[in-house]
Amino acid sequence: MAAAAGSSRVFPALMILTGVFVFLLLVVAPGVAAEAAAPPPPGLEFRVGGPRGWRVPDANTSYDWWAMNNRFHVGDHLYFKYANDSVLVVDRLAFDACNASEPLAAFADGATKFRLDRPGFFCFISGEAGHCQEGQRLIVRVMVHPALASAPAPGAPTTEPAGHAGGRPRPSECSCSDASSSVGTAIAAAAGVAISAAMATVVVLVLLLQ
């Protein structure tokens, strides 16, 4: 009689737990995965140099200061507005030397929109003779969007240094690979839900059979 009573309790409990497991696997897990894989918000557009645009800087213009007081993320755009000038994308060596002979990309349309498509540093100089030497050059640091960034390692800085004491920002070594792992996060989240449900089912069954 005791065994029969135990079996009568186990079967309904098993049915309920099976239903809960299926619900978590088919309803909750896909929702968690979709949330983890959601794309970041649309990128912002920054007008280089503000209202003055892209030109040889004067006493009231500093591209270093402008760059240090903005935060750029993957997917943002830089908008260069200029006349009788050009925008060259260069590597760091060409940037430091104001070398316009071998740019990575060149634009001269007067209204250039450049997409920041990776994390790391981007360097820009004017292609007009003498302009770069007079300060018409820009270097920006691009970060992964917070919606996609992975958790920082223990002790790693999570904010940019405040303030600017003048001079060109000094880039450190950085990875230009996409640090986002949205697909892996989605799979891990879904798997975690399924494993948790399975473990709960086993524990309850063991308790009922005792």
Side-chain angles (χ1 to χ4, degrees):
M1 293 294 291
S7 299
S8 65
R9 292 195 302 270
V10 170
F11 183 73
L14 179 60
M15 294 297 294
I16 294 173
L17 289 173
T18 301
V20 172
F21 176 78
V22 172
F23 173 79
L24 291 173
L25 187 62
L26 298 181
V27 178
V28 178
V32 173
E35 181 178 354
L44 302 176
E45 182 175 298
F46 297 86
R47 179 162 178 161
V48 176
R52 296 175 179 272
W54 179 241
R55 65 179 196 175
V56 174
D58 54 24
N60 298 316
T61 306
S62 171
Y63 294 113
D64 293 343
W65 181 260
W66 180 85
M68 291 295 291
N69 282 274
N70 286 291
R71 295 293 177 265
F72 309 98
H73 298 99
V74 174
D76 290 344
H77 291 82
L78 298 182
Y79 176 65
F80 294 83
K81 182 65 176 177
Y82 52 94
N84 301 318
D85 212 319
S86 61
V87 179
L88 304 184
V89 185
V90 297
D91 60 24
R92 182 58 194 264
L93 292 177
F95 178 86
D96 289 337
C98 283
N99 183 358
S101 61
E102 297 182 357
L104 304 176
F107 307 92
D109 55 9
T112 300
K113 181 184 287 189
F114 184 87
R115 184 175 186 270
L116 304 172
D117 59 359
R118 60 166 176 80
F121 290 89
F122 287 82
C123 301
F124 305 89
I125 65 174
S126 168
E128 294 299 303
H131 285 200
C132 177
Q133 289 82 351
E134 295 182 54
Q136 192 178 351
R137 56 182 179 175
L138 168 70
I139 183 170
V140 298
R141 180 188 177 188
V142 180
M143 297 174 286
V144 176
H145 199 284
L148 296 179
S150 57
T158 57
T159 58
E160 291 297 305
H164 179 51
R168 186 169 63 254
R170 179 182 178 184
S172 58
E173 293 297 326
C174 64
S175 171
C176 292
S177 61
D178 188 354
S180 65
S181 56
S182 57
V183 175
T185 302
I187 295 174
V193 172
I195 293 173
S196 298
M199 292 179 63
T201 301
V202 172
V203 170
V204 173
L205 284 176
V206 171
L207 293 175
L208 288 174
L209 289 173
Q210 289 181 346

